[in-house]
Coordinates of all heavy atoms in Angstrom, one line a residue:
M1 N 78.9 116.8 95.0 CA 79.6 115.8 94.2 C 81.0 115.4 94.9 O 81.2 114.3 95.0 CB 79.8 116.3 92.8 CG 80.4 115.2 91.9 SD 79.2 114.0 91.4 CE 80.1 113.2 90.1
E2 N 81.7 116.4 95.2 CA 83.1 116.2 95.7 C 82.8 115.5 97.1 O 83.7 114.5 97.4 CB 83.9 117.4 95.8 CG 84.5 117.9 94.6 CD 85.4 116.9 94.0 OE1 86.2 116.4 94.6 OE2 85.1 116.8 92.7
R3 N 81.9 115.8 97.9 CA 81.8 115.3 99.2 C 81.3 113.8 99.0 O 81.9 112.9 99.7 CB 80.6 115.9 100.0 CG 80.3 115.5 101.3 CD 79.3 116.2 102.0 NE 79.1 115.9 103.4 CZ 78.4 114.8 103.7 NH1 77.7 114.1 102.8 NH2 78.2 114.5 105.0
D4 N 80.5 113.4 98.0 CA 80.1 112.1 97.8 C 81.3 111.2 97.4 O 81.5 110.1 97.8 CB 79.1 112.0 96.7 CG 77.7 112.6 97.2 OD1 77.5 112.6 98.3 OD2 76.9 113.0 96.2
R5 N 82.1 111.9 96.6 CA 83.4 111.0 96.1 C 84.2 110.8 97.3 O 84.8 109.7 97.5 CB 84.2 111.8 95.1 CG 83.6 111.9 93.8 CD 84.4 112.5 92.7 NE 84.0 112.2 91.5 CZ 84.5 112.8 90.4 NH1 85.4 113.7 90.5 NH2 84.0 112.4 89.1
A6 N 84.4 111.8 98.3 CA 85.3 111.6 99.4 C 84.8 110.5 100.3 O 85.6 109.7 100.8 CB 85.5 112.9 100.1
L7 N 83.5 110.5 100.5 CA 82.8 109.5 101.2 C 83.0 108.0 100.6 O 83.0 107.0 101.4 CB 81.4 109.7 101.4 CG 81.0 111.0 102.2 CD1 79.4 111.2 102.2 CD2 81.5 110.7 103.7
M8 N 83.2 107.9 99.4 CA 83.3 106.6 98.7 C 84.8 106.2 98.6 O 85.1 105.0 98.4 CB 82.9 106.7 97.3 CG 81.3 106.9 97.2 SD 80.4 105.4 98.0 CE 81.1 104.1 97.0
L9 N 85.8 107.1 99.0 CA 87.1 106.7 98.9 C 87.5 105.4 99.7 O 88.2 104.5 99.1 CB 88.0 107.9 99.3 CG 89.5 107.6 99.2 CD1 89.9 107.3 97.7 CD2 90.3 108.9 99.6
P10 N 87.1 105.3 100.9 CA 87.4 104.0 101.7 C 86.9 102.8 101.0 O 87.5 101.8 100.9 CB 86.7 104.2 103.1 CG 86.6 105.7 103.2 CD 86.4 106.3 101.8
E11 N 85.7 102.9 100.3 CA 85.1 101.8 99.6 C 86.0 101.4 98.4 O 86.2 100.3 98.1 CB 83.7 102.1 99.2 CG 82.8 102.6 100.2 CD 82.3 101.4 101.2 OE1 82.3 100.2 100.8 OE2 82.0 101.7 102.4
W12 N 86.4 102.4 97.8 CA 87.2 102.2 96.6 C 88.6 101.6 96.9 O 89.1 100.7 96.3 CB 87.5 103.5 95.7 CG 86.3 104.1 95.1 CD1 85.2 103.4 94.7 CD2 86.0 105.5 94.9 NE1 84.2 104.4 94.2 CE2 84.7 105.6 94.3 CE3 86.8 106.6 95.0 CZ2 84.3 106.8 93.8 CZ3 86.3 107.8 94.5 CH2 84.9 108.0 94.0
L13 N 89.1 102.1 98.0 CA 90.5 101.5 98.4 C 90.4 100.1 98.9 O 91.2 99.3 98.7 CB 91.0 102.4 99.6 CG 91.6 103.9 99.1 CD1 91.9 104.6 100.3 CD2 92.6 103.7 98.2
Q14 N 89.2 99.9 99.6 CA 88.9 98.5 100.0 C 88.8 97.5 98.8 O 89.4 96.5 98.8 CB 87.6 98.5 100.8 CG 87.3 97.1 101.3 CD 86.0 97.2 102.2 OE1 85.7 98.0 102.9 NE2 85.0 96.2 102.0
C15 N 88.2 98.0 97.7 CA 88.1 97.1 96.6 C 89.4 96.9 95.9 O 89.8 95.9 95.5 CB 87.1 97.8 95.5 SG 85.4 97.7 96.0
G16 N 90.2 98.0 95.8 CA 91.6 97.9 95.3 C 92.4 97.0 96.1 O 93.2 96.3 95.5
F17 N 92.3 97.0 97.4 CA 93.1 96.1 98.3 C 92.7 94.7 98.1 O 93.5 93.8 97.9 CB 92.9 96.4 99.7 CG 93.6 95.5 100.6 CD1 95.0 95.4 100.6 CD2 92.9 94.8 101.4 CE1 95.6 94.5 101.5 CE2 93.5 93.8 102.3 CZ 94.8 93.7 102.3
L18 N 91.3 94.4 98.1 CA 90.9 93.1 98.1 C 91.1 92.4 96.7 O 91.2 91.2 96.5 CB 89.4 93.0 98.4 CG 89.1 93.2 100.0 CD1 87.6 93.3 100.1 CD2 89.7 92.2 100.7
G19 N 91.1 93.3 95.7 CA 91.3 92.7 94.3 C 92.8 92.7 93.9 O 93.0 92.8 92.8
N20 N 93.6 92.5 94.9 CA 95.1 92.7 94.7 C 95.8 91.4 94.9 O 95.5 90.6 95.8 CB 95.5 93.7 95.8 CG 96.7 94.4 95.4 OD1 97.7 93.8 95.0 ND2 96.6 95.7 95.7
D21 N 96.8 91.1 94.0 CA 97.6 89.9 94.1 C 98.9 90.2 94.7 O 99.8 89.3 94.9 CB 97.6 89.0 92.8 CG 96.4 88.4 92.5 OD1 95.7 87.9 93.4 OD2 96.1 88.3 91.2
S22 N 99.3 91.3 94.9 CA 100.5 91.8 95.4 C 100.5 91.8 96.9 O 99.4 91.8 97.6 CB 101.0 93.2 94.9 OG 101.1 93.2 93.5
H23 N 101.6 92.0 97.7 CA 101.6 92.1 99.1 C 103.0 92.8 99.5 O 103.8 93.0 98.6 CB 101.5 90.8 99.8 CG 102.7 89.8 99.5 ND1 102.7 89.0 98.4 CD2 103.9 89.6 100.1 CE1 103.9 88.4 98.4 NE2 104.6 88.7 99.4
M24 N 103.0 93.3 100.7 CA 104.2 94.0 101.1 C 105.0 92.9 101.9 O 104.5 92.1 102.7 CB 103.8 95.1 102.1 CG 102.8 96.1 101.5 SD 103.5 96.9 100.1 CE 104.7 98.0 100.8
Q25 N 106.4 93.1 101.8 CA 107.2 92.2 102.5 C 108.5 93.0 103.0 O 108.8 93.9 102.3 CB 107.6 91.0 101.6 CG 108.5 91.3 100.5 CD 108.8 90.1 99.7 OE1 108.0 89.1 99.7 NE2 109.9 90.0 98.9
A26 N 109.0 92.5 104.0 CA 110.3 93.1 104.5 C 111.5 92.8 103.6 O 111.6 91.5 103.2 CB 110.6 92.6 106.0
Q27 N 112.2 93.8 103.2 CA 113.5 93.6 102.3 C 114.4 94.6 102.8 O 114.2 95.8 102.7 CB 113.0 93.8 100.9 CG 114.1 93.6 100.0 CD 113.6 93.8 98.5 OE1 112.5 93.7 98.1 NE2 114.6 94.1 97.6
D28 N 115.7 94.1 103.3 CA 116.7 94.9 103.7 C 116.2 95.8 104.8 O 116.6 97.1 104.8 CB 117.3 95.7 102.6 CG 117.9 94.9 101.6 OD1 118.5 93.7 101.9 OD2 117.9 95.1 100.4
G29 N 115.3 95.4 105.7 CA 114.9 96.2 106.9 C 113.8 97.2 106.6 O 113.4 98.0 107.4
Q30 N 113.3 97.1 105.3 CA 112.2 98.1 104.9 C 111.1 97.3 104.2 O 111.3 96.1 103.7 CB 112.7 99.2 104.0 CG 113.7 100.1 104.5 CD 114.1 101.1 103.6 OE1 113.8 101.0 102.3 NE2 114.7 102.2 104.1
L31 N 109.9 97.9 104.1 CA 108.8 97.2 103.4 C 109.0 97.5 102.0 O 109.2 98.6 101.5 CB 107.4 97.7 103.9 CG 107.0 97.2 105.2 CD1 105.7 97.8 105.7 CD2 106.9 95.7 105.2
A32 N 108.7 96.4 101.2 CA 108.8 96.6 99.7 C 107.7 95.7 99.1 O 107.1 94.8 99.7 CB 110.0 96.0 99.1
V33 N 107.2 96.2 97.9 CA 106.1 95.5 97.2 C 106.6 94.3 96.5 O 107.6 94.3 95.8 CB 105.5 96.5 96.0 CG1 104.5 95.8 95.3 CG2 105.0 97.7 96.7
A34 N 106.0 93.2 96.8 CA 106.2 91.9 96.1 C 105.0 91.9 95.1 O 103.8 91.5 95.5 CB 106.2 90.8 97.1
G35 N 105.3 92.0 93.9 CA 104.3 92.0 92.9 C 104.2 93.2 92.0 O 105.2 94.0 92.0
D36 N 103.1 93.5 91.5 CA 102.9 94.6 90.6 C 102.9 95.9 91.4 O 102.3 96.1 92.5 CB 101.5 94.5 90.0 CG 101.1 95.7 89.0 OD1 101.7 95.6 87.8 OD2 100.4 96.6 89.4
R37 N 103.6 96.9 90.9 CA 103.8 98.2 91.6 C 102.6 99.0 91.8 O 102.3 99.7 92.7 CB 105.0 99.1 91.0 CG 106.2 98.5 91.2 CD 107.3 99.4 90.6 NE 107.2 99.2 89.1 CZ 107.9 100.0 88.3 NH1 108.8 100.8 88.6 NH2 107.7 99.8 86.9
T38 N 101.6 98.9 90.8 CA 100.4 99.6 90.9 C 99.5 99.0 92.0 O 98.9 99.7 92.7 CB 99.7 99.6 89.5 OG1 100.4 100.2 88.5 CG2 98.3 100.3 89.6
E39 N 99.5 97.7 92.0 CA 98.8 97.0 93.1 C 99.4 97.4 94.4 O 98.8 97.6 95.5 CB 98.7 95.5 92.9 CG 97.9 95.1 91.7 CD 97.7 93.7 91.6 OE1 98.4 92.9 92.3 OE2 96.8 93.2 90.8
G40 N 100.7 97.4 94.5 CA 101.4 97.9 95.7 C 101.0 99.3 96.2 O 100.8 99.5 97.4
A41 N 100.8 100.2 95.2 CA 100.3 101.5 95.5 C 99.0 101.5 96.1 O 98.6 102.3 97.1 CB 100.4 102.4 94.3
L42 N 98.1 100.6 95.7 CA 96.7 100.5 96.2 C 96.8 100.0 97.7 O 96.1 100.4 98.5 CB 95.9 99.5 95.5 CG 95.6 100.1 94.1 CD1 94.9 98.9 93.2 CD2 94.6 101.2 94.1
I43 N 97.8 99.0 98.0 CA 98.0 98.6 99.3 C 98.4 99.7 100.3 O 97.9 99.9 101.3 CB 98.9 97.4 99.4 CG1 98.4 96.2 98.6 CG2 99.3 97.0 100.8 CD1 99.5 95.1 98.5
V44 N 99.4 100.5 99.9 CA 99.9 101.5 100.6 C 98.9 102.6 100.9 O 98.6 103.1 101.9 CB 101.1 102.2 100.0 CG1 101.6 103.4 100.6 CG2 102.3 101.1 100.0
S45 N 98.1 102.9 99.8 CA 97.0 103.9 99.9 C 95.9 103.4 100.9 O 95.4 104.2 101.7 CB 96.3 104.1 98.6 OG 97.2 104.7 97.7
A46 N 95.5 102.2 100.8 CA 94.5 101.7 101.8 C 95.1 101.7 103.3 O 94.3 102.2 104.2 CB 94.2 100.3 101.5
Q47 N 96.4 101.4 103.5 CA 97.0 101.5 104.8 C 97.0 103.0 105.3 O 96.6 103.3 106.4 CB 98.4 101.0 104.8 CG 98.5 99.5 104.6 CD 99.9 99.1 104.5 OE1 100.7 99.6 103.9 NE2 100.1 97.8 105.0
K48 N 97.3 103.9 104.4 CA 97.4 105.2 104.7 C 96.0 105.9 105.0 O 95.9 106.8 105.8 CB 98.2 106.2 103.7 CG 99.6 105.9 103.7 CD 100.4 106.9 102.6 CE 101.8 106.7 102.7 NZ 102.5 107.6 101.9
A49 N 95.1 105.3 104.5 CA 93.7 105.8 104.7 C 93.0 105.2 106.0 O 92.0 105.5 106.4 CB 92.7 105.4 103.5
G50 N 93.9 104.3 106.6 CA 93.4 103.8 107.9 C 92.6 102.5 107.9 O 92.0 102.1 108.9
L51 N 92.6 101.8 106.7 CA 91.9 100.6 106.6 C 92.6 99.5 107.4 O 93.8 99.4 107.3 CB 91.7 100.2 105.3 CG 90.8 101.0 104.4 CD1 90.7 100.6 102.9 CD2 89.5 101.2 105.0
A52 N 91.9 98.7 108.2 CA 92.5 97.6 109.0 C 92.6 96.4 108.0 O 91.7 95.6 107.9 CB 91.7 97.2 110.2
L53 N 93.7 96.2 107.4 CA 93.8 95.4 106.3 C 93.9 93.8 106.6 O 93.2 93.1 105.9 CB 95.1 95.6 105.4 CG 95.2 97.1 104.9 CD1 96.4 97.2 104.0 CD2 94.0 97.4 104.1
K54 N 94.4 93.5 107.8 CA 94.4 92.1 108.3 C 93.0 91.6 108.5 O 92.6 90.6 108.1 CB 95.3 91.9 109.5 CG 96.7 92.2 109.2 CD 97.3 90.9 108.3 CE 98.8 91.1 108.2 NZ 99.3 90.3 107.1
S55 N 92.3 92.5 109.3 CA 90.8 92.1 109.5 C 90.0 92.1 108.2 O 89.2 91.2 108.1 CB 90.2 93.0 110.6 OG 90.0 94.2 110.1
L56 N 90.3 93.0 107.4 CA 89.6 92.9 106.1 C 89.8 91.6 105.4 O 88.8 91.0 104.8 CB 90.0 94.2 105.2 CG 89.3 94.5 103.9 CD1 87.8 94.8 104.2 CD2 89.9 95.6 103.3
E57 N 91.0 91.2 105.3 CA 91.3 89.9 104.6 C 90.6 88.7 105.3 O 90.1 87.8 104.6 CB 92.8 89.6 104.5 CG 93.6 90.5 103.6 CD 95.0 90.2 103.5 OE1 95.6 90.1 104.7 OE2 95.6 90.1 102.5
Q58 N 90.6 88.8 106.6 CA 90.0 87.7 107.4 C 88.5 87.6 107.3 O 87.9 86.6 107.2 CB 90.4 87.8 108.9 CG 91.9 87.5 109.1 CD 92.3 87.8 110.5 OE1 91.6 88.4 111.3 NE2 93.6 87.4 110.8
E59 N 87.8 88.7 107.3 CA 86.4 88.9 107.4 C 85.8 88.8 105.9 O 84.6 88.6 105.8 CB 86.0 90.1 108.2 CG 86.4 90.0 109.7 CD 85.9 91.2 110.4 OE1 85.1 92.1 109.8 OE2 86.3 91.3 111.5
Q60 N 86.5 89.2 105.0 CA 86.1 89.2 103.6 C 87.1 88.4 102.7 O 87.7 88.9 101.7 CB 85.9 90.6 103.0 CG 84.9 91.4 103.8 CD 84.6 92.8 103.2 OE1 84.6 92.9 101.9 NE2 84.3 93.7 104.0
P61 N 87.1 87.0 102.9 CA 88.1 86.3 102.2 C 87.7 86.1 100.8 O 86.5 86.2 100.4 CB 88.0 84.9 103.0 CG 86.6 84.9 103.5 CD 86.4 86.2 103.9
R62 N 88.8 85.8 100.0 CA 88.5 85.7 98.5 C 87.9 84.3 98.5 O 88.5 83.3 98.8 CB 89.9 85.8 97.8 CG 89.6 85.8 96.4 CD 90.9 85.9 95.6 NE 91.4 87.3 95.7 CZ 92.4 87.8 94.9 NH1 93.0 87.1 94.0 NH2 92.8 89.0 95.1
L63 N 86.8 84.3 97.6 CA 86.2 82.9 97.5 C 86.6 82.2 96.1 O 86.7 81.0 95.9 CB 84.7 83.0 97.5 CG 84.2 83.6 98.9 CD1 82.7 83.8 98.8 CD2 84.5 82.8 100.0
D64 N 86.8 83.1 95.1 CA 87.2 82.6 93.7 C 87.8 83.7 92.9 O 87.6 84.9 93.3 CB 85.8 82.1 93.1 CG 86.1 81.2 91.9 OD1 87.3 80.7 91.7 OD2 85.1 80.8 91.3
T65 N 88.5 83.3 91.9 CA 89.2 84.3 91.0 C 89.1 83.8 89.6 O 89.3 82.5 89.3 CB 90.7 84.3 91.4 OG1 90.9 84.7 92.7 CG2 91.5 85.3 90.5
I66 N 89.0 84.7 88.6 CA 89.1 84.5 87.3 C 90.4 85.3 87.0 O 90.4 86.6 86.9 CB 88.0 84.9 86.4 CG1 86.8 84.2 86.7 CG2 88.3 84.9 84.8 CD1 85.5 84.7 86.1
P67 N 91.5 84.7 86.7 CA 92.8 85.4 86.6 C 92.8 86.2 85.3 O 92.1 85.9 84.2 CB 93.8 84.4 86.6 CG 93.2 83.0 86.2 CD 91.8 83.2 86.6
F68 N 93.7 87.2 85.2 CA 93.9 88.0 84.0 C 94.6 87.1 83.0 O 95.6 86.4 83.3 CB 94.8 89.2 84.3 CG 95.2 90.1 83.1 CD1 94.2 91.1 82.8 CD2 96.1 89.8 82.3 CE1 94.5 91.8 81.7 CE2 96.6 90.6 81.2 CZ 95.6 91.7 80.8
E69 N 94.1 87.2 81.8 CA 94.8 86.5 80.5 C 94.7 87.5 79.4 O 93.8 88.3 79.2 CB 94.1 85.2 80.3 CG 94.1 84.2 81.3 CD 93.4 82.9 80.9 OE1 93.1 82.7 79.8 OE2 93.2 82.1 81.8
S70 N 95.8 87.4 78.5 CA 95.9 88.3 77.5 C 94.7 88.1 76.5 O 94.3 89.0 75.8 CB 97.3 88.2 76.8 OG 97.4 86.9 76.3
Q71 N 94.2 86.9 76.3 CA 93.1 86.7 75.5 C 91.8 87.3 75.9 O 91.1 87.8 75.1 CB 92.9 85.1 75.4 CG 91.7 84.7 74.5 CD 91.6 83.2 74.3 OE1 92.3 82.5 75.1 NE2 90.7 82.8 73.6
F72 N 91.7 87.4 77.2 CA 90.4 88.1 77.9 C 91.0 89.0 78.8 O 91.2 88.7 80.1 CB 89.4 87.1 78.5 CG 89.0 86.0 77.6 CD1 89.6 84.7 77.7 CD2 88.0 86.2 76.7 CE1 89.1 83.7 76.8 CE2 87.7 85.3 75.8 CZ 88.1 84.0 75.9
P73 N 91.3 90.3 78.4 CA 92.0 91.3 79.4 C 91.2 91.8 80.4 O 90.8 93.0 80.5 CB 92.5 92.3 78.3 CG 91.4 92.3 77.3 CD 91.0 90.9 77.1
Y74 N 90.9 90.9 81.4 CA 90.3 91.4 82.6 C 90.6 90.3 83.7 O 90.9 89.3 83.5 CB 88.8 91.6 82.5 CG 87.9 90.3 82.2 CD1 87.5 89.5 83.3 CD2 87.7 89.9 81.0 CE1 86.8 88.4 83.1 CE2 87.0 88.8 80.7 CZ 86.6 87.9 81.7 OH 85.9 86.8 81.5
M75 N 90.4 90.7 85.0 CA 90.4 89.8 86.1 C 89.1 90.0 86.9 O 88.7 91.2 87.0 CB 91.6 90.2 86.9 CG 91.7 89.5 88.2 SD 93.1 90.1 89.2 CE 92.8 89.3 90.7
A76 N 88.7 89.0 87.5 CA 87.4 89.0 88.3 C 87.7 88.3 89.6 O 88.3 87.3 89.6 CB 86.2 88.5 87.6
I77 N 87.2 88.8 90.7 CA 87.3 88.1 92.1 C 86.0 88.1 92.7 O 85.1 89.0 92.4 CB 88.3 88.8 92.9 CG1 88.0 90.3 93.1 CG2 89.7 88.7 92.3 CD1 88.8 90.9 94.2
L78 N 85.7 87.1 93.6 CA 84.7 87.1 94.3 C 85.0 87.0 95.9 O 85.8 86.1 96.2 CB 83.8 85.8 94.0 CG 82.6 85.4 94.9 CD1 81.5 86.5 94.6 CD2 82.0 84.0 94.4
H79 N 84.5 87.8 96.7 CA 84.8 87.9 98.1 C 83.5 87.7 98.9 O 82.4 88.2 98.5 CB 85.4 89.2 98.5 CG 86.9 89.3 98.2 ND1 87.9 89.0 99.1 CD2 87.5 89.6 97.1 CE1 89.0 89.2 98.5 NE2 88.9 89.6 97.3
Q80 N 83.7 87.1 100.0 CA 82.5 87.1 101.1 C 82.4 88.7 101.4 O 83.4 89.4 101.6 CB 82.9 86.4 102.2 CG 81.8 86.2 103.2 CD 82.2 85.2 104.2 OE1 83.0 84.3 104.1 NE2 81.5 85.3 105.5
F81 N 81.2 89.1 101.6 CA 80.9 90.6 101.9 C 80.1 90.7 103.0 O 79.2 90.1 103.4 CB 80.1 91.1 100.7 CG 79.9 92.6 100.8 CD1 80.9 93.6 100.7 CD2 78.6 93.1 101.1 CE1 80.7 94.9 100.8 CE2 78.4 94.4 101.2 CZ 79.4 95.3 101.0
W82 N 80.6 91.8 103.9 CA 79.9 92.1 105.1 C 79.1 93.4 104.7 O 79.6 94.3 104.1 CB 80.8 92.3 106.3 CG 81.5 91.0 106.6 CD1 82.7 90.7 106.1 CD2 81.0 90.0 107.4 NE1 83.0 89.4 106.6 CE2 82.0 89.0 107.5 CE3 79.9 89.8 108.2 CZ2 81.8 87.9 108.2 CZ3 79.8 88.8 108.9 CH2 80.7 87.8 109.0
Q83 N 78.0 93.7 105.4 CA 77.1 94.8 105.1 C 77.5 96.0 105.8 O 77.2 97.1 105.4 CB 75.7 94.5 105.4 CG 75.1 93.4 104.4 CD 75.0 94.0 103.1 OE1 74.7 95.1 102.8 NE2 75.2 93.1 102.1
E84 N 78.2 96.0 107.0 CA 78.5 97.2 107.7 C 79.5 98.1 107.0 O 80.5 97.7 106.5 CB 79.1 96.9 109.0 CG 78.2 96.4 110.0 CD 78.8 96.3 111.5 OE1 79.3 97.2 112.0 OE2 78.7 95.2 111.9
S85 N 79.2 99.3 106.7 CA 79.9 100.3 106.0 C 81.1 100.8 106.9 O 80.9 101.1 108.0 CB 79.0 101.4 105.6 OG 79.8 102.4 104.8
H86 N 82.2 100.8 106.3 CA 83.4 101.4 106.9 C 83.8 100.5 108.1 O 84.4 101.2 109.1 CB 83.3 102.9 107.3 CG 82.9 103.6 106.0 ND1 83.7 103.8 105.0 CD2 81.7 104.3 105.8 CE1 83.0 104.6 104.1 NE2 81.8 104.9 104.5
R87 N 83.5 99.4 108.2 CA 83.8 98.5 109.4 C 85.3 98.5 109.6 O 85.7 98.2 110.8 CB 83.2 97.1 109.1 CG 83.5 96.1 110.3 CD 82.9 94.8 109.9 NE 83.1 94.0 111.1 CZ 82.2 93.0 111.4 NH1 81.1 92.9 110.8 NH2 82.5 92.3 112.4
H88 N 86.1 98.6 108.7 CA 87.6 98.4 108.7 C 88.4 99.6 109.0 O 89.6 99.6 108.8 CB 88.0 97.5 107.6 CG 87.3 96.2 107.5 ND1 87.6 95.1 108.2 CD2 86.2 95.8 106.7 CE1 86.8 94.1 108.0 NE2 86.0 94.6 107.1
R89 N 87.7 100.6 109.4 CA 88.5 101.8 109.8 C 89.3 101.6 111.1 O 88.7 101.1 112.0 CB 87.7 103.0 109.9 CG 86.9 103.3 108.7 CD 87.5 104.1 107.6 NE 87.9 105.4 108.2 CZ 88.9 106.1 107.6 NH1 89.5 105.7 106.4 NH2 89.3 107.2 108.0
Q90 N 90.5 101.8 111.2 CA 91.3 101.8 112.4 C 90.9 103.0 113.3 O 90.7 104.0 112.8 CB 92.7 101.8 112.2 CG 93.2 100.5 111.5 CD 94.8 100.5 111.3 OE1 95.3 101.6 111.3 NE2 95.2 99.4 111.0
E91 N 90.8 102.8 114.5 CA 90.4 103.8 115.5 C 91.7 104.4 116.0 O 92.7 103.9 116.1 CB 89.7 103.3 116.6 CG 88.3 102.6 116.2 CD 87.4 103.6 115.6 OE1 87.4 104.8 115.9 OE2 86.7 103.3 114.7

């Protein structure tokens, strides 16, 4: 069970990154989160896991979004999807 979870971690991080409205930006010579801190943590985690985030955004662009609203407390996104598993791992 633990091995299966470990194998899924890149997939989870990819979903967390793609479903994210925050981004990293330079601020006073350092990178800082622009947006929600939890979403920023997902970006940093994906980077530390070795996901190639720029190519991920280019190859799996966001096609549509249902934004979060307090009346309906969820957000949904639609991305173009590629079938190759772990394609975005940096070498």
Side-chain angles (χ1 to χ4, degrees):
M1 178 81 167
E2 285 301 313
R3 183 178 184 281
D4 292 340
R5 283 184 168 173
L7 292 173
M8 290 301 299
L9 182 59
E11 306 286 333
W12 294 335
L13 291 172
Q14 180 176 317
C15 290
F17 173 72
L18 289 172
N20 204 314
D21 287 328
S22 296
H23 64 277
M24 303 300 285
Q25 67 183 25
Q27 182 178 339
D28 299 325
Q30 297 183 341
L31 285 178
V33 174
D36 182 80
R37 288 182 289 177
T38 301
E39 290 186 350
L42 291 169
I43 294 171
V44 171
S45 296
Q47 288 173 327
K48 287 185 176 185
L51 297 180
L53 302 183
K54 290 290 183 197
S55 67
L56 188 60
E57 286 179 317
Q58 292 170 352
E59 293 179 10
Q60 295 190 32
R62 188 179 289 194
L63 302 175
D64 202 4
T65 302
I66 299 173
F68 180 89
E69 294 183 16
S70 58
Q71 182 181 3
F72 303 104
Y74 66 89
M75 173 185 170
I77 57 167
L78 176 64
H79 280 266
Q80 185 172 339
F81 181 73
W82 298 92
Q83 291 295 322
E84 282 186 59
S85 182
H86 307 293
R87 178 181 184 145
H88 299 284
R89 302 275 303 163
Q90 292 179 344
E91 298 300 322

